[in-house]
Amino acid sequence: MQDVIVSVAQILGRPGAGRTINLSRPVEGVETVLASVAETPVEARLRADSVVEGILVSGAVEGATRLQCARCLRAFSSEVGVEVCELFADGPGQPADEDAYAVEGEVIDLAPMLRDALTLALPLRPLCREACAGLCGSCGQDLNEGPCGCVQEELDPRWAGLSALRDKLNH
Ligand SMILES: [Zn+2]
Ligand SMILES: [Zn+2]
């Protein structure tokens, strides 16, 4: 887990003061089952603003992603972008919540915030395209490349009873 340490010494404890933070660096370990953030640098254009409670970090984070289509399993790449606005708490009476971000001395570590924000922004069900035809459930052929020849004639069991009833009524 690589830190992304930014000094806030100049603005800490001076509500109203702020600084810009522009980052371009890889963020490791951001992945879900079908998606991950690529090793290429993540771009972050942020502001750190001194507030009474600590440091408020806000702005835009963008990165390249590597995805696997949830229907046809093909690998493809895309981009992810997310707006962040997070408080890094400072001073006594520190957050009881261990997951909250905090000022450490005169620095903040942006890595956990970047990782959390990007992970939440990854698609849960990536699709190579909206109309992806997926794979045949019987033979596994990629139906984007054409029909496979399997005969799809499974009747939904929930309708089986109905059609039996209909047959009866018609006789
Ligand atoms: Zn697909
Ligand atoms: Zn098939």
Side-chain angles (χ1 to χ4, degrees):
M1 205 192 263
Q2 223 176 349
D3 296 345
V4 181
I5 301 295
V6 172
S7 170
V8 291
Q10 302 293 317
I11 60 171
L12 194 60
R14 296 172 50 211
R19 58 161 293 192
T20 57
I21 306 168
N22 289 316
L23 294 171
S24 177
R25 54 174 303 155
V27 177
E28 295 161 0
V30 181
E31 56 189 347
T32 60
V33 179
L34 295 173
S36 65
V37 167
E39 292 87 49
T40 52
V42 165
E43 310 284 337
R45 292 180 306 283
L46 306 170
R47 269 194 65 77
D49 287 300
S50 188
V51 295
V52 175
E53 301 89 346
I55 301 291
L56 190 67
V57 176
S58 60
V61 181
E62 286 169 14
T65 57
R66 295 212 293 210
L67 307 171
Q68 197 179 5
C69 178
R71 285 193 199 137
C72 72
L73 307 181
R74 193 179 306 199
F76 65 106
S77 26
S78 184
E79 266 124 53
V80 63
V82 62
E83 297 284 326
V84 296
C85 184
E86 297 290 346
L87 176 71
F88 287 71
D90 182 46
Q94 270 306 302
D97 181 358
E98 281 187 15
D99 291 332
Y101 309 118
V103 179
E104 295 152 23
E106 294 188 319
V107 302
I108 52 179
D109 178 7
L110 295 180
M113 180 197 76
L114 293 173
R115 204 171 292 125
D116 293 349
L118 288 167
T119 304
L120 283 176
L122 289 175
L124 283 176
R125 238 183 96 72
L127 293 180
C128 63
R129 58 201 171 87
E130 210 43 56
C132 172
L135 304 177
C136 170
S138 313
C139 73
Q141 160 151 334
D142 186 345
L143 298 176
N144 295 306
E145 288 163 9
C148 57
C150 291
V151 184
Q152 307 281 352
E153 265 215 78
E154 272 178 53
L155 198 59
D156 188 320
R158 283 170 299 178
W159 300 112
L162 266 184
S163 56
L165 182 67
R166 194 180 49 204
D167 286 347
K168 221 179 264 174
L169 291 174
N170 287 343
H171 284 157

